[in-house]
Short mmCIF file of all heavy atoms in Angstrom, two decimals:
data_model
loop_
_atom_site.label_atom_id
_atom_site.label_comp_id
_atom_site.label_asym_id
_atom_site.label_seq_id
_atom_site.Cartn_x
_atom_site.Cartn_y
_atom_site.Cartn_z
N MET P 158 0.85 -1.17 0.00
CA MET P 158 0.00 0.00 0.00
C MET P 158 0.89 1.23 0.00
O MET P 158 1.90 1.28 0.68
CB MET P 158 -0.88 -0.01 1.24
CG MET P 158 -1.81 -1.20 1.36
SD MET P 158 -3.31 -1.06 0.40
CE MET P 158 -4.20 0.17 1.34
N LYS P 159 0.49 2.21 -0.80
CA LYS P 159 1.29 3.43 -0.89
C LYS P 159 1.00 4.40 0.24
O LYS P 159 1.78 5.27 0.54
CB LYS P 159 1.03 4.10 -2.23
CG LYS P 159 1.54 3.28 -3.40
CD LYS P 159 1.06 3.81 -4.71
CE LYS P 159 1.89 4.97 -5.19
NZ LYS P 159 1.47 5.45 -6.50
N CYS P 160 -0.19 4.26 0.85
CA CYS P 160 -0.57 5.17 1.94
C CYS P 160 -0.23 4.53 3.30
O CYS P 160 0.22 3.39 3.37
CB CYS P 160 -2.05 5.48 1.85
SG CYS P 160 -3.07 3.99 1.96
N GLU P 161 -0.50 5.27 4.34
CA GLU P 161 -0.16 4.79 5.69
C GLU P 161 -1.41 4.33 6.45
O GLU P 161 -1.39 4.25 7.68
CB GLU P 161 0.53 5.91 6.47
CG GLU P 161 1.87 6.33 5.87
CD GLU P 161 2.91 5.24 5.94
OE1 GLU P 161 2.99 4.56 6.98
OE2 GLU P 161 3.63 5.05 4.94
N CYS P 162 -2.51 4.07 5.72
CA CYS P 162 -3.78 3.77 6.38
C CYS P 162 -3.73 2.52 7.24
O CYS P 162 -4.32 2.49 8.33
CB CYS P 162 -4.89 3.65 5.36
SG CYS P 162 -5.33 5.22 4.62
N ILE P 163 -3.09 1.46 6.78
CA ILE P 163 -3.05 0.22 7.55
C ILE P 163 -2.45 0.48 8.93
O ILE P 163 -2.99 0.09 9.96
CB ILE P 163 -2.28 -0.89 6.81
CG1 ILE P 163 -3.07 -1.35 5.57
CG2 ILE P 163 -2.01 -2.08 7.74
CD1 ILE P 163 -2.33 -2.32 4.70
N LYS P 164 -1.33 1.20 8.94
CA LYS P 164 -0.67 1.51 10.20
C LYS P 164 -1.57 2.38 11.08
O LYS P 164 -1.75 2.12 12.28
CB LYS P 164 0.65 2.23 9.89
CG LYS P 164 1.49 2.59 11.09
CD LYS P 164 2.87 3.06 10.62
CE LYS P 164 3.73 3.44 11.80
NZ LYS P 164 3.75 4.86 12.08
N ALA P 165 -2.17 3.40 10.48
CA ALA P 165 -3.02 4.32 11.24
C ALA P 165 -4.25 3.61 11.80
O ALA P 165 -4.63 3.80 12.96
CB ALA P 165 -3.44 5.49 10.35
N VAL P 166 -4.89 2.76 10.98
CA VAL P 166 -6.09 2.05 11.43
C VAL P 166 -5.70 1.05 12.52
O VAL P 166 -6.40 0.93 13.52
CB VAL P 166 -6.76 1.33 10.22
CG1 VAL P 166 -7.85 0.36 10.69
CG2 VAL P 166 -7.36 2.36 9.28
N ASN P 167 -4.60 0.35 12.33
CA ASN P 167 -4.18 -0.63 13.35
C ASN P 167 -3.90 0.05 14.69
O ASN P 167 -4.18 -0.52 15.75
CB ASN P 167 -2.97 -1.42 12.87
CG ASN P 167 -3.36 -2.57 11.99
OD1 ASN P 167 -4.51 -3.02 11.99
ND2 ASN P 167 -2.40 -3.09 11.24
N GLU P 168 -3.34 1.24 14.64
CA GLU P 168 -3.08 1.96 15.89
C GLU P 168 -4.39 2.26 16.61
O GLU P 168 -4.47 2.18 17.84
CB GLU P 168 -2.30 3.24 15.61
CG GLU P 168 -0.84 2.97 15.30
CD GLU P 168 -0.06 4.20 14.83
OE1 GLU P 168 -0.65 5.31 14.80
OE2 GLU P 168 1.12 4.05 14.50
N LYS P 169 -5.43 2.61 15.85
CA LYS P 169 -6.73 2.90 16.47
C LYS P 169 -7.41 1.63 16.96
O LYS P 169 -8.08 1.62 17.99
CB LYS P 169 -7.62 3.65 15.49
CG LYS P 169 -7.15 5.07 15.21
CD LYS P 169 -8.05 5.80 14.25
CE LYS P 169 -7.51 7.21 14.02
NZ LYS P 169 -8.28 7.95 13.02
N LEU P 170 -7.27 0.53 16.19
CA LEU P 170 -7.92 -0.72 16.57
C LEU P 170 -7.25 -1.38 17.78
O LEU P 170 -7.89 -2.15 18.48
CB LEU P 170 -7.90 -1.71 15.38
CG LEU P 170 -8.80 -1.38 14.21
CD1 LEU P 170 -8.58 -2.38 13.08
CD2 LEU P 170 -10.26 -1.40 14.61
N ALA P 171 -5.99 -1.07 17.99
CA ALA P 171 -5.23 -1.74 19.06
C ALA P 171 -5.90 -1.57 20.42
O ALA P 171 -5.88 -2.49 21.25
CB ALA P 171 -3.80 -1.22 19.09
N ALA P 172 -6.54 -0.43 20.63
CA ALA P 172 -7.22 -0.18 21.91
C ALA P 172 -8.37 -1.16 22.11
O ALA P 172 -8.84 -1.35 23.23
CB ALA P 172 -7.73 1.26 21.95
N ARG P 173 -8.86 -1.76 21.02
CA ARG P 173 -9.93 -2.75 21.10
C ARG P 173 -9.42 -4.17 20.87
O ARG P 173 -10.16 -5.05 20.44
CB ARG P 173 -11.01 -2.41 20.08
CG ARG P 173 -11.72 -1.09 20.39
CD ARG P 173 -12.66 -0.72 19.27
NE ARG P 173 -13.30 0.57 19.55
CZ ARG P 173 -14.58 0.70 19.87
NH1 ARG P 173 -15.35 -0.34 19.93
NH2 ARG P 173 -15.08 1.88 20.11
N ASN P 174 -8.10 -4.35 21.05
CA ASN P 174 -7.47 -5.65 20.89
C ASN P 174 -7.75 -6.25 19.52
O ASN P 174 -8.05 -7.42 19.37
CB ASN P 174 -7.93 -6.62 22.00
CG ASN P 174 -7.05 -7.86 22.07
OD1 ASN P 174 -5.87 -7.79 21.73
ND2 ASN P 174 -7.62 -8.98 22.49
N THR P 175 -7.66 -5.41 18.50
CA THR P 175 -8.00 -5.81 17.13
C THR P 175 -6.96 -5.26 16.17
O THR P 175 -6.37 -4.20 16.43
CB THR P 175 -9.39 -5.22 16.75
OG1 THR P 175 -10.35 -5.65 17.69
CG2 THR P 175 -9.81 -5.65 15.34
N ARG P 176 -6.71 -5.97 15.10
CA ARG P 176 -5.90 -5.45 14.01
C ARG P 176 -6.44 -5.99 12.70
O ARG P 176 -7.15 -6.99 12.68
CB ARG P 176 -4.42 -5.81 14.18
CG ARG P 176 -4.14 -7.30 14.04
CD ARG P 176 -2.67 -7.60 14.29
NE ARG P 176 -2.45 -9.05 14.33
CZ ARG P 176 -1.39 -9.63 14.85
NH1 ARG P 176 -0.44 -8.89 15.39
NH2 ARG P 176 -1.27 -10.93 14.83
N LEU P 177 -6.09 -5.32 11.60
CA LEU P 177 -6.53 -5.74 10.27
C LEU P 177 -5.86 -7.04 9.89
O LEU P 177 -4.68 -7.25 10.15
CB LEU P 177 -6.19 -4.69 9.22
CG LEU P 177 -6.86 -3.34 9.36
CD1 LEU P 177 -6.24 -2.35 8.36
CD2 LEU P 177 -8.36 -3.46 9.11
N ALA P 178 -6.62 -7.94 9.24
CA ALA P 178 -6.02 -9.11 8.61
C ALA P 178 -5.37 -8.63 7.32
O ALA P 178 -5.97 -7.87 6.57
CB ALA P 178 -7.08 -10.14 8.33
N LEU P 179 -4.14 -9.05 7.08
CA LEU P 179 -3.41 -8.58 5.89
C LEU P 179 -3.11 -9.71 4.94
O LEU P 179 -2.88 -10.85 5.35
CB LEU P 179 -2.08 -7.92 6.33
CG LEU P 179 -2.22 -6.70 7.22
CD1 LEU P 179 -0.82 -6.16 7.54
CD2 LEU P 179 -3.06 -5.62 6.58
N THR P 180 -3.15 -9.39 3.66
CA THR P 180 -2.71 -10.28 2.61
C THR P 180 -1.38 -9.76 2.12
O THR P 180 -1.28 -8.59 1.72
CB THR P 180 -3.72 -10.32 1.45
OG1 THR P 180 -4.97 -10.80 1.95
CG2 THR P 180 -3.24 -11.23 0.33
N ILE P 181 -0.35 -10.57 2.18
CA ILE P 181 0.98 -10.15 1.76
C ILE P 181 1.26 -10.71 0.38
O ILE P 181 1.03 -11.88 0.12
CB ILE P 181 2.05 -10.65 2.77
CG1 ILE P 181 1.78 -10.01 4.13
CG2 ILE P 181 3.45 -10.32 2.28
CD1 ILE P 181 2.62 -10.60 5.25
N THR P 182 1.70 -9.84 -0.53
CA THR P 182 2.03 -10.30 -1.88
C THR P 182 3.54 -10.29 -2.05
O THR P 182 4.25 -9.52 -1.43
CB THR P 182 1.41 -9.39 -2.96
OG1 THR P 182 1.96 -8.08 -2.83
CG2 THR P 182 -0.09 -9.33 -2.82
N LEU P 183 4.02 -11.18 -2.90
CA LEU P 183 5.45 -11.31 -3.11
C LEU P 183 5.80 -11.07 -4.58
O LEU P 183 6.76 -11.58 -5.08
CB LEU P 183 5.91 -12.73 -2.71
CG LEU P 183 5.69 -13.08 -1.25
CD1 LEU P 183 5.93 -14.57 -1.04
CD2 LEU P 183 6.62 -12.29 -0.36
N THR P 184 4.96 -10.31 -5.26
CA THR P 184 5.15 -10.14 -6.71
C THR P 184 6.37 -9.29 -7.01
O THR P 184 7.49 -9.77 -6.93
CB THR P 184 3.90 -9.54 -7.37
OG1 THR P 184 3.50 -8.40 -6.61
CG2 THR P 184 2.76 -10.55 -7.35
N GLN P 185 6.19 -8.04 -7.34
CA GLN P 185 7.35 -7.23 -7.70
C GLN P 185 8.11 -6.78 -6.46
O GLN P 185 9.32 -6.70 -6.45
CB GLN P 185 6.92 -6.03 -8.53
CG GLN P 185 6.47 -6.47 -9.91
CD GLN P 185 5.91 -5.35 -10.72
OE1 GLN P 185 5.64 -4.28 -10.19
NE2 GLN P 185 5.74 -5.57 -12.00
N GLN P 186 7.38 -6.45 -5.43
CA GLN P 186 8.01 -6.10 -4.17
C GLN P 186 7.08 -6.53 -3.06
O GLN P 186 5.88 -6.64 -3.26
CB GLN P 186 8.29 -4.60 -4.10
CG GLN P 186 7.03 -3.74 -4.18
CD GLN P 186 7.38 -2.27 -4.20
OE1 GLN P 186 8.30 -1.87 -4.88
NE2 GLN P 186 6.66 -1.49 -3.45
N LEU P 187 7.65 -6.81 -1.93
CA LEU P 187 6.87 -7.23 -0.79
C LEU P 187 5.89 -6.12 -0.42
O LEU P 187 6.29 -4.98 -0.23
CB LEU P 187 7.82 -7.52 0.38
CG LEU P 187 7.19 -8.16 1.60
CD1 LEU P 187 6.70 -9.57 1.28
CD2 LEU P 187 8.20 -8.22 2.74
N ASP P 188 4.63 -6.46 -0.38
CA ASP P 188 3.63 -5.43 -0.10
C ASP P 188 2.47 -6.08 0.63
O ASP P 188 2.24 -7.29 0.49
CB ASP P 188 3.13 -4.83 -1.42
CG ASP P 188 2.67 -3.40 -1.25
OD1 ASP P 188 2.60 -2.92 -0.10
OD2 ASP P 188 2.40 -2.76 -2.26
N ASP P 189 1.75 -5.33 1.41
CA ASP P 189 0.60 -5.91 2.09
C ASP P 189 -0.64 -5.06 1.91
O ASP P 189 -0.57 -3.87 1.70
CB ASP P 189 0.89 -6.17 3.57
CG ASP P 189 1.47 -4.97 4.28
OD1 ASP P 189 1.40 -3.86 3.73
OD2 ASP P 189 2.01 -5.15 5.37
N PHE P 190 -1.78 -5.74 1.95
CA PHE P 190 -3.07 -5.13 1.66
C PHE P 190 -4.06 -5.64 2.70
O PHE P 190 -3.92 -6.76 3.20
CB PHE P 190 -3.57 -5.56 0.28
CG PHE P 190 -2.66 -5.16 -0.84
CD1 PHE P 190 -1.61 -5.99 -1.22
CD2 PHE P 190 -2.81 -3.96 -1.49
CE1 PHE P 190 -0.74 -5.62 -2.25
CE2 PHE P 190 -1.97 -3.58 -2.50
CZ PHE P 190 -0.94 -4.41 -2.89
N PRO P 191 -5.10 -4.84 3.00
CA PRO P 191 -6.17 -5.36 3.85
C PRO P 191 -6.79 -6.58 3.16
O PRO P 191 -7.01 -6.57 1.96
CB PRO P 191 -7.19 -4.22 3.92
CG PRO P 191 -6.45 -3.01 3.48
CD PRO P 191 -5.36 -3.49 2.55
N THR P 192 -7.02 -7.64 3.90
CA THR P 192 -7.55 -8.87 3.33
C THR P 192 -9.01 -8.71 2.93
O THR P 192 -9.82 -8.20 3.68
CB THR P 192 -7.43 -10.01 4.36
OG1 THR P 192 -6.05 -10.22 4.63
CG2 THR P 192 -8.05 -11.30 3.83
N ILE P 193 -9.30 -9.15 1.71
CA ILE P 193 -10.69 -9.30 1.25
C ILE P 193 -11.01 -10.77 1.40
O ILE P 193 -10.39 -11.62 0.77
CB ILE P 193 -10.85 -8.84 -0.21
CG1 ILE P 193 -10.50 -7.36 -0.35
CG2 ILE P 193 -12.27 -9.14 -0.70
CD1 ILE P 193 -10.46 -6.87 -1.78
N ALA P 194 -11.97 -11.10 2.27
CA ALA P 194 -12.26 -12.50 2.53
C ALA P 194 -12.87 -13.17 1.31
O ALA P 194 -13.75 -12.62 0.65
CB ALA P 194 -13.23 -12.60 3.70
N THR P 195 -12.36 -14.35 0.98
CA THR P 195 -12.92 -15.16 -0.09
C THR P 195 -13.12 -16.56 0.47
O THR P 195 -12.56 -16.89 1.52
CB THR P 195 -11.98 -15.26 -1.31
OG1 THR P 195 -10.74 -15.83 -0.92
CG2 THR P 195 -11.73 -13.89 -1.93
N GLU P 196 -13.93 -17.36 -0.18
CA GLU P 196 -14.08 -18.75 0.25
C GLU P 196 -14.31 -19.65 -0.95
O GLU P 196 -14.77 -19.20 -1.99
CB GLU P 196 -15.21 -18.90 1.27
CG GLU P 196 -16.58 -18.56 0.72
CD GLU P 196 -17.67 -18.70 1.77
OE1 GLU P 196 -17.36 -19.00 2.93
OE2 GLU P 196 -18.83 -18.50 1.42
N GLN P 197 -13.96 -20.90 -0.77
CA GLN P 197 -14.16 -21.90 -1.80
C GLN P 197 -15.65 -22.15 -1.98
O GLN P 197 -16.40 -22.23 -0.99
CB GLN P 197 -13.54 -23.22 -1.30
CG GLN P 197 -12.49 -23.80 -2.18
CD GLN P 197 -11.84 -25.00 -1.51
OE1 GLN P 197 -11.14 -24.86 -0.52
NE2 GLN P 197 -12.08 -26.16 -2.06
N ILE P 198 -16.12 -22.27 -3.20
CA ILE P 198 -17.54 -22.57 -3.45
C ILE P 198 -17.79 -24.06 -3.27
O ILE P 198 -18.60 -24.47 -2.44
CB ILE P 198 -17.95 -22.12 -4.87
CG1 ILE P 198 -17.77 -20.62 -5.02
CG2 ILE P 198 -19.39 -22.56 -5.15
CD1 ILE P 198 -17.93 -20.11 -6.44
N ASP P 199 -17.09 -24.88 -4.06
CA ASP P 199 -17.24 -26.34 -3.95
C ASP P 199 -16.07 -26.87 -3.16
O ASP P 199 -14.91 -26.68 -3.55
CB ASP P 199 -17.27 -26.98 -5.33
CG ASP P 199 -18.50 -26.62 -6.11
OD1 ASP P 199 -19.59 -26.56 -5.49
OD2 ASP P 199 -18.40 -26.41 -7.33
N LYS P 200 -16.34 -27.51 -2.05
CA LYS P 200 -15.28 -28.02 -1.19
C LYS P 200 -15.09 -29.52 -1.42
O LYS P 200 -15.98 -30.19 -1.91
CB LYS P 200 -15.60 -27.72 0.26
CG LYS P 200 -15.66 -26.21 0.47
CD LYS P 200 -15.97 -25.79 1.88
CE LYS P 200 -15.98 -24.26 1.93
NZ LYS P 200 -16.50 -23.70 3.10
N GLY P 201 -13.92 -29.99 -1.07
CA GLY P 201 -13.67 -31.43 -1.18
C GLY P 201 -12.39 -31.69 -1.95
O GLY P 201 -11.79 -30.77 -2.51
N ARG P 202 -12.00 -32.95 -1.97
CA ARG P 202 -10.75 -33.34 -2.62
C ARG P 202 -10.80 -33.02 -4.11
O ARG P 202 -11.79 -33.23 -4.77
CB ARG P 202 -10.52 -34.84 -2.45
CG ARG P 202 -10.12 -35.24 -1.05
CD ARG P 202 -9.97 -36.75 -0.94
NE ARG P 202 -8.82 -37.24 -1.70
CZ ARG P 202 -7.60 -37.37 -1.21
NH1 ARG P 202 -7.37 -37.07 0.05
NH2 ARG P 202 -6.63 -37.84 -1.96
N GLY P 203 -9.68 -32.50 -4.61
CA GLY P 203 -9.55 -32.23 -6.04
C GLY P 203 -10.18 -30.93 -6.50
O GLY P 203 -10.04 -30.57 -7.66
N LYS P 204 -10.86 -30.24 -5.63
CA LYS P 204 -11.48 -28.96 -6.02
C LYS P 204 -10.43 -27.86 -5.96
O LYS P 204 -9.53 -27.89 -5.12
CB LYS P 204 -12.63 -28.60 -5.07
CG LYS P 204 -13.75 -29.62 -5.04
CD LYS P 204 -14.51 -29.65 -6.34
CE LYS P 204 -15.68 -30.63 -6.23
NZ LYS P 204 -16.39 -30.76 -7.51
N LEU P 205 -10.55 -26.89 -6.85
CA LEU P 205 -9.64 -25.75 -6.83
C LEU P 205 -9.77 -25.03 -5.51
O LEU P 205 -10.87 -24.87 -4.98
CB LEU P 205 -9.97 -24.77 -7.97
CG LEU P 205 -9.66 -25.25 -9.38
CD1 LEU P 205 -10.18 -24.22 -10.38
CD2 LEU P 205 -8.16 -25.44 -9.56
N LYS P 206 -8.64 -24.58 -4.98
CA LYS P 206 -8.63 -23.79 -3.75
C LYS P 206 -9.05 -22.36 -4.04
O LYS P 206 -8.82 -21.87 -5.15
CB LYS P 206 -7.24 -23.78 -3.12
CG LYS P 206 -6.72 -25.15 -2.73
CD LYS P 206 -7.51 -25.71 -1.58
CE LYS P 206 -6.94 -27.05 -1.15
NZ LYS P 206 -7.86 -27.76 -0.26
N ALA P 207 -9.66 -21.72 -3.08
CA ALA P 207 -10.04 -20.30 -3.24
C ALA P 207 -8.79 -19.46 -3.45
O ALA P 207 -7.73 -19.75 -2.90
CB ALA P 207 -10.79 -19.83 -2.00
N VAL P 208 -8.91 -18.44 -4.25
CA VAL P 208 -7.79 -17.53 -4.50
C VAL P 208 -7.95 -16.28 -3.63
O VAL P 208 -9.02 -16.02 -3.07
CB VAL P 208 -7.71 -17.12 -5.99
CG1 VAL P 208 -7.45 -18.33 -6.86
CG2 VAL P 208 -8.96 -16.39 -6.42
N SER P 209 -6.87 -15.51 -3.51
CA SER P 209 -6.89 -14.27 -2.75
C SER P 209 -7.24 -13.11 -3.67
O SER P 209 -6.95 -13.14 -4.86
CB SER P 209 -5.52 -14.00 -2.13
OG SER P 209 -5.17 -15.04 -1.26
N MET P 210 -7.85 -12.10 -3.13
CA MET P 210 -8.15 -10.87 -3.86
C MET P 210 -7.45 -9.74 -3.14
O MET P 210 -7.40 -9.69 -1.92
CB MET P 210 -9.65 -10.57 -3.86
CG MET P 210 -10.48 -11.56 -4.64
SD MET P 210 -10.29 -11.39 -6.42
CE MET P 210 -10.94 -9.74 -6.69
N ILE P 211 -6.89 -8.80 -3.91
CA ILE P 211 -6.34 -7.61 -3.31
C ILE P 211 -7.03 -6.38 -3.90
O ILE P 211 -7.43 -6.40 -5.07
CB ILE P 211 -4.81 -7.49 -3.47
CG1 ILE P 211 -4.41 -7.48 -4.94
CG2 ILE P 211 -4.09 -8.60 -2.73
CD1 ILE P 211 -2.94 -7.18 -5.16
N PRO P 212 -7.24 -5.34 -3.10
CA PRO P 212 -7.94 -4.16 -3.59
C PRO P 212 -7.09 -3.34 -4.54
O PRO P 212 -5.86 -3.32 -4.45
CB PRO P 212 -8.24 -3.37 -2.32
CG PRO P 212 -7.14 -3.77 -1.38
CD PRO P 212 -6.82 -5.20 -1.70
N THR P 213 -7.75 -2.66 -5.48
CA THR P 213 -7.06 -1.75 -6.41
C THR P 213 -6.85 -0.39 -5.74
O THR P 213 -5.84 0.26 -5.93
CB THR P 213 -7.88 -1.58 -7.69
OG1 THR P 213 -8.08 -2.87 -8.25
CG2 THR P 213 -7.16 -0.70 -8.70
N PHE P 214 -7.84 -0.01 -4.91
CA PHE P 214 -7.77 1.28 -4.22
C PHE P 214 -7.85 1.04 -2.73
O PHE P 214 -8.52 0.11 -2.27
CB PHE P 214 -8.92 2.20 -4.67
CG PHE P 214 -8.86 2.55 -6.13
CD1 PHE P 214 -9.50 1.78 -7.07
CD2 PHE P 214 -8.15 3.66 -6.54
CE1 PHE P 214 -9.43 2.11 -8.43
CE2 PHE P 214 -8.07 4.00 -7.89
CZ PHE P 214 -8.71 3.21 -8.83
N CYS P 215 -7.21 1.89 -1.96
CA CYS P 215 -7.27 1.78 -0.51
C CYS P 215 -8.73 1.94 -0.06
O CYS P 215 -9.39 2.92 -0.44
CB CYS P 215 -6.42 2.86 0.14
SG CYS P 215 -6.58 2.90 1.94
N PRO P 216 -9.26 1.00 0.75
CA PRO P 216 -10.64 1.10 1.20
C PRO P 216 -10.84 2.22 2.24
O PRO P 216 -11.98 2.55 2.55
CB PRO P 216 -10.93 -0.27 1.80
CG PRO P 216 -9.58 -0.78 2.20
CD PRO P 216 -8.61 -0.21 1.20
N PHE P 217 -9.78 2.81 2.73
CA PHE P 217 -9.89 3.85 3.76
C PHE P 217 -9.77 5.26 3.19
O PHE P 217 -10.51 6.13 3.57
CB PHE P 217 -8.86 3.62 4.85
CG PHE P 217 -8.94 2.23 5.44
CD1 PHE P 217 -7.97 1.29 5.16
CD2 PHE P 217 -10.01 1.86 6.24
CE1 PHE P 217 -8.05 0.01 5.68
CE2 PHE P 217 -10.11 0.58 6.75
CZ PHE P 217 -9.13 -0.35 6.48
N CYS P 218 -8.82 5.47 2.28
CA CYS P 218 -8.62 6.83 1.77
C CYS P 218 -8.85 6.94 0.26
O CYS P 218 -8.89 8.04 -0.27
CB CYS P 218 -7.21 7.33 2.13
SG CYS P 218 -5.90 6.53 1.21
N GLY P 219 -8.95 5.81 -0.44
CA GLY P 219 -9.27 5.85 -1.86
C GLY P 219 -8.09 6.03 -2.79
O GLY P 219 -8.24 6.05 -4.01
N VAL P 220 -6.88 6.13 -2.23
CA VAL P 220 -5.69 6.26 -3.07
C VAL P 220 -5.42 4.93 -3.76
O VAL P 220 -5.63 3.86 -3.18
CB VAL P 220 -4.47 6.68 -2.20
CG1 VAL P 220 -3.15 6.46 -2.93
CG2 VAL P 220 -4.62 8.12 -1.77
N LYS P 221 -4.95 4.97 -5.00
CA LYS P 221 -4.62 3.75 -5.72
C LYS P 221 -3.52 3.02 -4.98
O LYS P 221 -2.51 3.64 -4.56
CB LYS P 221 -4.19 4.10 -7.15
CG LYS P 221 -4.23 2.91 -8.08
CD LYS P 221 -4.15 3.36 -9.53
CE LYS P 221 -4.45 2.18 -10.43
NZ LYS P 221 -4.42 2.54 -11.84
N CYS P 222 -3.68 1.70 -4.79
CA CYS P 222 -2.78 0.94 -3.94
C CYS P 222 -1.37 0.86 -4.50
O CYS P 222 -0.40 0.90 -3.77
CB CYS P 222 -3.31 -0.47 -3.72
SG CYS P 222 -4.75 -0.52 -2.67
N ARG P 223 -1.25 0.70 -5.81
CA ARG P 223 0.10 0.59 -6.40
C ARG P 223 -0.01 0.84 -7.90
O ARG P 223 -1.07 0.70 -8.49
CB ARG P 223 0.72 -0.78 -6.14
CG ARG P 223 -0.09 -1.92 -6.74
CD ARG P 223 0.55 -3.25 -6.45
NE ARG P 223 -0.26 -4.34 -6.97
CZ ARG P 223 0.10 -5.60 -6.90
NH1 ARG P 223 1.21 -5.96 -6.33
NH2 ARG P 223 -0.70 -6.53 -7.37
N GLU P 224 1.13 1.17 -8.47
CA GLU P 224 1.18 1.37 -9.92
C GLU P 224 1.04 0.03 -10.60
O GLU P 224 1.52 -0.99 -10.09
CB GLU P 224 2.52 2.02 -10.31
CG GLU P 224 2.74 3.39 -9.70
CD GLU P 224 1.64 4.38 -10.05
OE1 GLU P 224 1.14 4.34 -11.19
OE2 GLU P 224 1.28 5.18 -9.18
N GLU P 225 0.37 0.00 -11.74
CA GLU P 225 0.25 -1.25 -12.49
C GLU P 225 1.61 -1.64 -13.02
O GLU P 225 2.36 -0.83 -13.50
CB GLU P 225 -0.74 -1.08 -13.65
CG GLU P 225 -2.14 -0.65 -13.20
CD GLU P 225 -2.78 -1.61 -12.20
OE1 GLU P 225 -2.59 -2.82 -12.35
OE2 GLU P 225 -3.47 -1.15 -11.28
N GLY P 226 1.92 -2.94 -12.91
CA GLY P 226 3.24 -3.41 -13.30
C GLY P 226 3.35 -3.84 -14.72
O GLY P 226 2.59 -4.16 -15.46
ZN1 ZN V 113 -5.21 4.68 2.43
#
């Protein structure tokens, strides 16, 4: 994330014993994003596992999360 929202939000949540769940990507550079929860539709052996989603824009301030690579 290009902004400091995760840090700022976590500082506020800490008083409530809470922090954001983060999704860490290892693509071009190590980066982390607020987690968007996803789940598998069909469960069981041999089924594709659910994939992760990352936001394009910061959900807190609206700034674009990163330049397109
Ligand atoms: Zn932000």
